[in-house]
């Protein structure tokens, strides 16, 4: 008779974690990050709850990961724990165990419900090597367009979709000392997910805008869409 795998006890606490991907660590893939985070959890001795089965693994739920190559100040995950802990203690332990550039910003106790369901939209800053006046004109044409069809390779092959429909707001930011032209864009999450580089391709398709080499894309916020244009804090939201 085949031996049944050991059944693990259910979690007694869940924590939600906000973390950042900065500098060169923005090129870390989601798979590489998940491995690094599991190692950090082990080194920090966080009392994780484990899945049942023949190959138990720590119960970590990732939500809304940013594309590889983009920086972020608003990445989220949820930990299921086998013991009740103080969130501030876990914050300190994890931040110490992770490499600089993968930085834990906030740890709070989960109120229940789905974290993924709270991540309805993202706010991005896009820093471009592009002429400011040409960018402003391109944004106006993009926002006036009914659609902006772009193509991207997905797991199911090359796919065409509308980049304009996901854009809640798009504007050119005031000039600063960086010398680059910067955009502020709020994207509604959907299927297929429209990414900030899709918006840049849409600007090129609709208005011929060239974003220049290696635009820097930084997610500033991710959460519920409130007051039609603002992205709320998912860790402050109660279901």
């Amino acid at each position: 008779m085949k031996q049944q795998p050991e059944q693990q006890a259910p979690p007694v606490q869940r924590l939600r974690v906000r973390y950042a991907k900065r500098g060169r660590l923005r090129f870390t893939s989601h798979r590489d990050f998940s491995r690094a985070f599991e190692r950090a959890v082990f080194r920090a001795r966080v009392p994780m709850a484990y899945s049942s089965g023949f190959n138990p693994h720590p119960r970590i739920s990732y939500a809304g990961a940013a594309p590889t190559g983009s920086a972020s100040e608003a990445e989220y995950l949820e930990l299921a724990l086998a013991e009740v802990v103080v969130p501030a203690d876990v914050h300190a332990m994890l931040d110490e165990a992770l490499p600089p550039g993968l930085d834990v910003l906030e740890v709070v106790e989960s109120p229940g419900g789905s974290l993924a369901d709270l991540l309805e939209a993202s706010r991005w800053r896009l820093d471009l090597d592009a002429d400011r006046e040409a960018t402003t004109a391109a944004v106006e044409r993009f926002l006036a367009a009914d659609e902006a069809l772009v193509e991207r390779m997905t797991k199911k092959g090359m796919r065409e979709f509308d980049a304009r429909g996901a854009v809640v707001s798009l504007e050119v930011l005031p000039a600063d000392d960086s010398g680059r032209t910067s955009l502020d864009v709020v994207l509604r999450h959907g299927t297929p997910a429209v990414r900030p580089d899709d918006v840049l391709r849409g600007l090129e398709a609709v208005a011929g805008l060239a974003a220049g080499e290696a635009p820097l894309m930084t997610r500033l916020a991710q959460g519920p869409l409130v007051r039609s244009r603002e992205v709320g804090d998912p860790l402050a939201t109660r279901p």
Side-chain angles (χ1 to χ4, degrees):
M1 185 175 179
K2 188 174 181 179
Q3 185 178 5
Q4 293 298 311
E6 180 182 357
Q7 297 298 304
Q8 302 290 332
V12 298
Q13 185 185 34
R14 295 181 186 272
L15 298 180
R16 291 178 176 174
V17 178
R18 176 186 171 206
Y19 66 95
K21 291 173 63 177
R22 297 167 171 159
R24 295 180 63 184
L25 271 296
R26 71 182 187 274
F27 296 107
T28 304
S29 70
H30 177 63
R31 178 176 294 181
D32 289 339
F33 169 77
S34 62
R35 290 171 178 167
F37 192 80
E38 287 193 20
R39 289 195 295 268
V41 164
F42 179 78
R43 286 196 299 271
R45 302 186 181 222
V46 178
M48 296 297 301
Y50 281 77
S51 63
S52 298
F54 289 105
N55 185 27
H57 57 271
R59 297 181 64 168
I60 305 171
S61 301
Y62 302 93
T68 302
S70 57
S72 180
E73 296 295 313
E75 301 298 285
Y76 293 93
L77 57 82
E78 187 167 278
L79 306 176
L81 304 182
E83 299 175 14
V84 176
V85 299
V86 177
D89 293 343
V90 174
H91 183 164
M93 291 187 294
L94 288 176
D95 205 35
E96 178 70 22
L98 284 166
L102 294 177
D103 304 315
V104 175
L105 304 180
E106 192 173 0
V107 179
V108 302
E109 189 164 4
S110 169
S114 169
L115 173 60
D117 287 348
L118 296 174
L119 305 182
E120 298 173 338
S122 291
R123 179 178 294 278
W124 292 84
R125 178 186 171 112
L126 313 181
D127 296 318
L128 318 177
D129 288 321
D131 178 78
R132 185 175 183 79
E133 291 186 6
T135 303
T136 300
V139 166
E140 291 175 355
R141 289 184 61 183
F142 180 90
L143 292 175
D146 292 329
E147 62 179 11
L149 296 178
V150 299
E151 289 186 334
R152 173 163 36 93
M153 182 63 71
T154 70
K155 294 179 180 179
K156 297 182 179 180
M158 188 65 72
R159 187 166 184 180
E160 183 182 66
F161 52 93
D162 176 25
R164 173 65 184 91
V167 175
V168 177
S169 64
L170 174 63
E171 61 181 333
V172 181
L173 292 170
D176 58 23
D177 296 333
S178 69
R180 306 189 82 180
T181 299
S182 299
L183 299 177
D184 178 276
V185 57
V186 174
L187 291 176
R188 183 182 291 105
H189 297 174
T191 304
V194 173
R195 308 186 317 197
D197 52 317
D198 297 324
V199 175
L200 296 180
R201 280 194 291 273
L203 285 165
E204 183 175 15
V206 169
L209 180 70
E213 294 186 5
L216 176 59
M217 299 174 287
T218 304
R219 175 147 58 190
L220 302 177
Q222 183 179 192
L225 192 59
V226 295
R227 293 190 297 278
S228 74
R229 292 167 60 96
E230 296 299 319
V231 179
D233 180 0
L235 301 190
T237 302
R238 295 297 179 262

